[in-house]
Amino acid sequence: MGRRQNDPEATHCSPLVLLLVGLASCALVYAALCVVLKPNEASSFSELESLELVEEGGGVGVEGESGGCCRGTENLELWGAAVKWGSEFKFNSSEQCCKACKAMCTGTDGPCLCDSWVFCGNKEACGSKFGECWLKKQKDTLAPERQEVGETVSWTSGLIFGRGEGIVGLETKYGTLHIKLLPDCAPHSVAYILELLALRHCAGCQFYRAERRGSSWDSEGNHIKNAPFGPPFALVQGTLDAQGVIFKKIPTEVCPTIRRGSVAWIGSGPEFFISLANHEEWKKEYTVFASVLPEDMNIAEKIAQLPTTADVWNSINVSVLEKPVPLFLRRMKTSHGDLTANMKSN
């Protein structure tokens, strides 16, 4: 039997009780988020991992919301023509180096003057090169030239995609979804997409779940007051697990609020989804690595209207496509508009 709050023993133990209640609440929230996007283990389509909570980097969500991402990949040295020589251009952090490159990529009338950066930030390993920031220009930003990679490499490198750059196509029989990659927010995720792009195939990649906005979200993705948050959950879900590629779990990167058009991993991938609505209720738990161009969201909506069958994944009602939709990654030969409006977050 529980004790009353004014019982001396209960008062003495209340901090422990509150702690246990708090932990239980967190566990319930975590479980609810996991089951929304995770199929039953018996499903023949895929075995998704549980949604991983961000246990480290408490500022990750804020970084994504502000649009101020400036991340790179450690132990990687990108090559390319130098537009700023690191021996004469030094900073105290890789973020400052990244921002210097971004500062040369603010125009709207052509490719960026700087599309990649290389920084040496390990005092012991870099020696006299510590702080060097090399700003570079790639011949092909979708196939950046690597000089060295591995644990012995002391450099950190990153890519910057300007307006109309870094756009790839998810080609389906219903049309091509053009997505803008976000290497400054999710460099490891983008590296995997570029790896798939180089294969010139994506055998096994497909959409297998599709759920409309229903009566819970309007055509712009805004939640309708007092409406439930699903089901349906306003998304199309699939996998980028290509045959012939050994998939390595992708670390958690920037997790902003999910907006209409967000392309994000489920857990550590390769399962992913495209959101048809703004999902503030999902609490910034998914790594967003791209965003669909606004004019192509009608294709995602079209896929969401295809015939489905009802299923239950971990006690959550979901809609699985009767016929999975194969998808292929394609390079885009022409530039497209930027996603400033689509990526805007509250």
Side-chain angles (χ1 to χ4, degrees):
M1 175 177 273
R3 298 180 183 272
R4 296 185 303 174
Q5 290 187 357
N6 58 355
D7 190 312
E9 280 191 50
T11 302
H12 182 71
C13 296
S14 60
L16 177 59
V17 173
L18 289 174
L19 175 61
L20 292 175
V21 171
L23 290 174
S25 299
C26 289
L28 288 173
V29 172
Y30 170 77
L33 285 170
C34 286
V35 297
V36 166
L37 292 169
K38 183 178 180 181
N40 191 302
E41 290 184 357
S43 170
S44 61
F45 292 99
S46 177
E47 292 185 4
L48 298 191
E49 297 175 350
S50 297
L51 174 63
E52 295 180 352
L53 290 174
V54 181
E55 297 178 351
E56 298 179 356
V60 163
V62 175
E63 181 184 10
E65 292 299 314
S66 67
C69 302
C70 240
R71 294 188 169 199
T73 303
E74 296 182 350
N75 308 124
L76 169 66
E77 181 182 4
L78 291 178
W79 208 236
V83 296
K84 283 282 188 181
W85 288 71
S87 55
E88 303 169 356
F89 198 62
K90 296 189 176 184
F91 290 105
N92 292 321
S93 70
S94 61
E95 182 178 7
Q96 291 175 317
C97 183
C98 169
K99 288 181 177 179
C101 185
K102 276 191 172 183
M104 300 177 69
C105 190
T106 57
T108 59
D109 56 353
C112 297
L113 297 177
C114 171
D115 55 27
S116 52
W117 54 271
V118 182
F119 177 76
C120 204
N122 186 316
K123 285 186 177 182
E124 184 177 344
C126 295
S128 62
K129 296 182 181 294
F130 174 71
E132 286 191 5
C133 172
W134 291 76
L135 303 186
K136 301 186 176 185
K137 181 71 176 174
Q138 297 292 322
K139 292 180 180 179
D140 183 353
T141 53
L142 293 180
E145 188 177 355
R146 294 185 175 190
Q147 174 69 1
E148 289 185 289
V149 61
E151 294 183 1
T152 60
V153 179
S154 57
W155 300 92
T156 296
S157 299
L159 293 172
I160 302 295
F161 290 151
R163 179 171 182 171
E165 298 180 315
I167 296 174
V168 300
L170 299 181
E171 184 179 285
T172 76
K173 63 187 292 185
Y174 301 100
T176 299
L177 291 155
H178 297 92
I179 64 172
K180 171 85 171 186
L181 299 176
L182 307 173
D184 47 346
C185 291
H188 295 282
S189 301
V190 170
Y192 178 68
I193 300 301
L194 297 186
E195 180 183 354
L196 292 181
L197 200 62
L199 291 177
R200 299 183 182 278
H201 80 81
C202 199
C205 299
Q206 62 179 10
F207 290 114
Y208 54 77
R209 176 186 176 188
E211 301 191 12
R212 307 178 186 187
R213 288 178 282 105
S215 58
S216 295
W217 291 273
D218 65 22
S219 60
E220 295 182 355
N222 299 309
H223 184 252
I224 297 172
K225 187 176 181 180
N226 298 324
F229 289 102
F233 293 101
L235 57 80
V236 290
Q237 181 175 325
T239 180
L240 290 175
D241 189 8
Q243 296 175 9
V245 177
I246 299 176
F247 179 78
K248 296 180 181 179
K249 291 184 179 181
I250 295 172
T252 299
E253 299 185 280
V254 173
C255 302
T257 299
I258 296 297
R259 313 296 296 178
R260 176 174 166 82
S262 293
V263 187
W265 297 119
I266 300 168
S268 301
E271 313 300 326
F272 77 106
F273 67 91
I274 296 174
S275 179
L276 304 181
N278 303 324
H279 284 291
E280 288 86 353
E281 76 278 11
W282 286 353
K283 307 299 181 184
K284 307 177 186 178
E285 301 296 349
Y286 302 92
T287 292
V288 174
F289 62 89
S291 187
V292 178
L293 281 117
E295 58 265 33
D296 288 345
M297 284 302 296
N298 64 311
I299 299 171
E301 295 277 4
K302 187 185 301 183
I303 294 173
Q305 313 243 355
L306 295 175
T308 59
T309 57
D311 200 353
V312 179
W313 295 350
N314 296 343
S315 301
I316 295 294
N317 296 322
V318 299
S319 299
V320 178
L321 287 167
E322 291 183 358
K323 295 181 179 180
V325 177
L327 63 90
F328 308 90
L329 263 69
R330 294 284 186 257
R331 292 181 64 106
M332 296 295 102
K333 295 181 180 180
T334 57
S335 296
H336 297 262
D338 65 12
L339 296 174
T340 303
N342 197 39
M343 292 302 297
K344 194 172 182 180
S345 301
N346 294 325

